[in-house]
Amino acid sequence: MKKHLPVAVAALAGLVLTTACGSGGGPVADGERPAEIEIVSVTDKTGLTAFGGQPQFRGIELAVEQINEQDYLDGSRISLRSRDAASDTQTAVSQAVEATADRSVSAMIGGISSAQATAISPLAERSGLPTIYTQSASDGVLIGDYTFRATPPQTTHVATSMAHLQQLGVRRLSVLYNAGNPALTEMAEKNLVEGQDEYGFEIVSATAVQNSTQDFATSASKIAAEKPDAVAMLIVGAQNATAMRQLRQAGYDGPVLGQTGAGTGNLAPAGTDGAGMFWTTNFTVDQPFPSSQAFVSAYRAKYGEDPVNYAAEGYDAAWMIAHAIKAAGGASRQDIQRGLEVVLENGFEGAQGSIGFEGHDMRTAGVLVEWDGTREVVLMEPAKT
């Protein structure tokens, strides 16, 4: 179901699109590849979601640097305009309005927030501006020919985690999930429920919490008393460390099926209490793909730290645009949209490994990892494709 902009925002968008078109320069003609190809990133560098927005931008920045240094576009360079949406949907919409109205802008990379993406996508479609998001897994993001996503939905990877439950001999599973997160709710209420027969487990209980929940002691005690063979803990960010500590304190010491929100250092505060949580991710620094390892090396050299999945996704989103320009032979908005369709058909090797697509949505094999108390370790390599 498509989501609609608030009336005031929609009215503002319409006004700007009709009066400010071309305010930043003339449009790129079809088949033309100017010396400077303008793209815009609307990224949360500050605010609540800066934990993902900052590395996402670093990945974009690294990709653009490589594209230009390699002369990948045969004499044309990508010029990156960076905007900080500051984790605010209204700010992100205003910045997107500016980008869509400026006809010299050929493409846009959106942020990681579904709330921002669902508000921006109607603008991108109306103006014909190819826009690639990362994360942003909600319905209403991919709504037409000009909106794309460079993150495989977690729901496409959960089967690998359920297969690991089967390998561990799990028969009884207790579920704790964040009902305020649509993707995690789908995993808990649909994917795990449907996986019971195929993977040989039974859901003993399903306990819902909210984004605001910070104390899981009562839920942990209830789950420990059920004596399950495994627990599925599908919660967000810092909730993972707190819940894992309280689950261990309640006496449960078995395996825990998690999700990618437990990564990027979120489990680190739990220390050894977090050991035994596993999940399937689209990226980890130790995954074996040559293209992934080349990205890791380049990122470490530029920033002096290990990349996280948000950085890999931003990197691949920027390279998608470059591959599209190359395939289309031009850098107009229409050229890039046509080129992206070629990229979707052929796939490519990127930071996330061997990348394919279903519609405008990215797909990867995924890598099964486990937190060992200090870091993520690879349990199972991706399936060969």
Side-chain angles (χ1 to χ4, degrees), residues 16 49 66 199 208 221 240 244 268 273 333 360:
V16 175
T49 51
Q66 290 180 343
Y199 297 101
S221 296
N240 285 277
M244 281 297 287
D273 285 338
R333 296 181 178 188
H360 285 199

Side-chain angles (χ1 to χ4, degrees), residues 48-303:
L48 291 175
T49 51
F51 68 88
Q54 286 180 344
Q56 182 216 28
F57 176 72
R58 289 174 182 166
I60 296 168
E61 187 178 46
L62 174 60
V64 170
E65 180 181 284
Q66 290 180 343
I67 292 160
N68 292 339
E69 287 182 349
Q70 295 172 19
D71 193 24
Y72 184 75
L73 298 177
D74 304 315
S76 294
R77 294 173 56 84
I78 289 181
S79 177
L80 176 63
R81 302 184 197 170
S82 171
R83 302 289 184 263
D84 179 12
S87 305
D88 179 73
T89 297
Q90 182 66 55
T91 301
V93 168
S94 297
Q95 292 169 347
V97 165
E98 177 188 358
T100 57
D102 184 348
R103 302 304 295 184
S104 69
V105 174
S106 293
M108 178 164 60
I109 300 176
I112 68 171
S113 163
S114 290
Q116 292 179 18
T118 54
I120 289 171
S121 284
L123 303 175
E125 292 292 341
R126 188 182 310 145
S127 62
L129 180 64
T131 299
I132 303 175
Y133 302 101
T134 65
Q135 299 291 314
S136 304
S138 293
D139 292 340
V141 174
L142 306 182
I143 60 173
D145 293 338
Y146 288 87
T147 44
F148 305 81
R149 184 160 46 217
T151 304
Q154 290 195 60
T155 53
T156 65
H157 287 153
V158 70
T160 301
S161 294
M162 289 191 289
H164 189 58
L165 288 178
Q166 188 174 46
Q167 292 169 351
L168 294 173
V170 170
R171 293 288 181 265
R172 303 175 72 254
L173 179 73
S174 297
V175 180
L176 177 70
Y177 70 102
N178 186 320
N181 183 293
L184 300 185
T185 299
E186 182 178 354
M187 291 171 70
E189 298 182 356
K190 182 175 185 292
N191 300 127
L192 290 179
V193 171
E194 293 177 351
Q196 291 178 99
D197 290 340
E198 182 175 357
Y199 297 101
F201 61 84
E202 174 190 2
I203 295 176
V204 177
S205 69
T207 304
V209 297
Q210 299 299 320
N211 288 320
S212 58
T213 305
Q214 298 180 23
D215 186 350
F216 302 89
T218 300
S219 298
S221 296
K222 170 180 170 290
I223 289 171
E226 293 168 350
K227 300 188 183 304
D229 299 318
V231 173
M233 186 179 292
L234 307 174
I235 52 181
V236 299
Q239 288 182 327
N240 285 277
T242 303
M244 281 297 287
R245 282 198 307 267
Q246 293 179 331
L247 188 62
R248 298 310 191 200
Q249 290 166 2
Y252 176 78
D253 60 2
V256 178
L257 184 159
Q259 49 85 35
T260 56
T264 66
N266 282 317
L267 266 184
T272 56
D273 285 338
M277 177 181 272
F278 65 90
W279 62 92
T280 310
T281 183
N282 57 317
F283 174 80
T284 187
V285 293
D286 294 325
Q287 66 189 55
F289 288 111
S291 57
S292 300
Q293 288 307 304
F295 162 70
V296 170
S297 295
Y299 192 94
R300 285 170 173 165
K302 183 172 178 62
Y303 298 110

